[in-house]
Amino acid sequence: MLNLVLISDTHGLHDQLQLPPGDVILHAGDVSSRGTEKEIMKFLDWFGNLDYQHKVFIAGNHDFFFENNTPEEIAKIIPPNITYLNDSGTEIAGVKIWGSPITPWFFDWAFNRQRGAEIKKHWDLIPDDTDLLITHGPAHGILDKTTTGVAAGCEELLKKINKTNIQLHLSGHIHEGYGERMVNGVRYINASVLDVRYRQINAPVTLNFKTKNDD
């Protein structure tokens, strides 16, 4: 059993968090406010020094540094005890994890893609045997309602999840969507720790995730 700590959308306010203990911490993006290298380095220093055996994160639409630099340049600054995912995966204790920063187009932010065929190309990369999916944005209709009542999540992402054996989908992006839902056997969690006014009021989410070694 893996004890997971789930967070998202810290926007540079990570040092305000009261984090519970666990085996793995997962961050679903927007680690910075404006995506500058200085902000990113500050986050990585904090994240790398956390007392968790595994530390995994993806970028979000505010994290321009990760879209504007090459994979080689990014690899140089990622500490060896941190796993950064960008349309890529990792495995922890037999749990297959996939992460992507992509979100539907919104005011020309980082990692924006047009809805439909363009964004579907990214979701097509998700392996069908993924156990735990991390995307910055939520799936359509699930923990994705804005303050104006708009369902801002991605339709193509929901279709992909429904075709796989994913057990847990972690997202953020829509701060007011913070919470948890079970839909068709999939546990959906929006772990945005900031509210819509960028106040740090939401607690990190914790849960126990069954591994293949627990069978």
Side-chain angles (χ1 to χ4, degrees):
M1 193 75 69
L2 286 176
N3 182 246
L4 306 181
V5 176
L6 313 177
I7 58 176
S8 186
D9 295 82
T10 49
H11 291 283
L13 301 180
H14 42 263
D15 52 0
Q16 296 183 13
L17 286 174
Q18 297 295 317
L19 292 171
D23 303 311
V24 183
I25 186 165
L26 305 173
H27 194 307
D30 274 359
V31 305
S32 68
S33 178
R34 298 184 179 277
T36 65
E37 183 174 2
K38 182 179 179 180
E39 287 181 293
I40 299 304
M41 294 302 295
K42 183 179 178 182
F43 166 78
L44 291 174
D45 180 65
W46 171 81
F47 201 58
N49 283 297
L50 294 179
D51 188 23
Y52 297 94
Q53 184 177 1
H54 303 281
K55 291 164 277 225
V56 181
F57 83 101
I58 63 171
N61 62 296
H62 281 250
D63 302 325
F64 286 98
F65 176 87
F66 293 103
E67 186 166 55
N68 294 338
N69 287 275
T70 67
E72 293 76 19
E73 290 168 332
I74 293 168
K76 289 178 182 178
I77 71 165
I78 303 292
N81 65 341
I82 291 177
T83 300
Y84 166 65
L85 300 179
N86 180 0
D87 281 339
S88 58
T90 189
E91 187 170 325
I92 298 174
V95 176
K96 295 182 178 180
I97 302 170
W98 188 267
S100 176
I102 302 302
T103 51
W105 196 271
F106 179 74
F107 288 116
D108 200 21
W109 290 87
F111 297 107
N112 280 187
R113 300 293 185 272
Q114 296 293 342
R115 293 178 186 270
E118 184 177 67
I119 202 166
K120 181 178 181 294
K121 294 177 183 177
H122 293 273
W123 310 142
D124 286 344
L125 298 173
I126 301 170
D128 290 341
D129 62 351
T130 298
D131 300 304
L132 195 165
L133 176 64
I134 312 169
T135 65
H136 183 54
H140 181 71
I142 303 173
L143 306 173
D144 69 336
K145 286 283 185 70
T146 67
T147 53
T148 59
V150 174
C154 181
E155 298 89 345
E156 295 297 335
L157 176 58
L158 181 62
K159 291 177 185 177
K160 176 63 179 184
I161 292 172
N162 288 337
K163 294 178 182 177
T164 68
N165 293 316
I166 290 168
Q167 301 170 50
L168 172 65
H169 177 223
L170 168 63
S171 68
H173 187 44
I174 307 301
H175 296 192
E176 53 270 52
Y178 174 82
E180 179 177 342
R181 281 182 63 190
M182 286 289 295
V183 180
N184 296 328
V186 181
R187 190 172 188 175
Y188 290 87
I189 294 175
N190 180 324
S192 300
V193 297
L194 303 189
D195 70 1
V196 71
R197 296 182 180 179
Y198 286 72
R199 298 173 298 183
Q200 202 282 297
I201 64 170
N202 297 328
V205 178
T206 61
L207 62 89
N208 290 321
F209 194 89
K210 187 177 181 181
T211 72
K212 293 177 175 60
N213 297 330
D214 299 319
D215 294 330

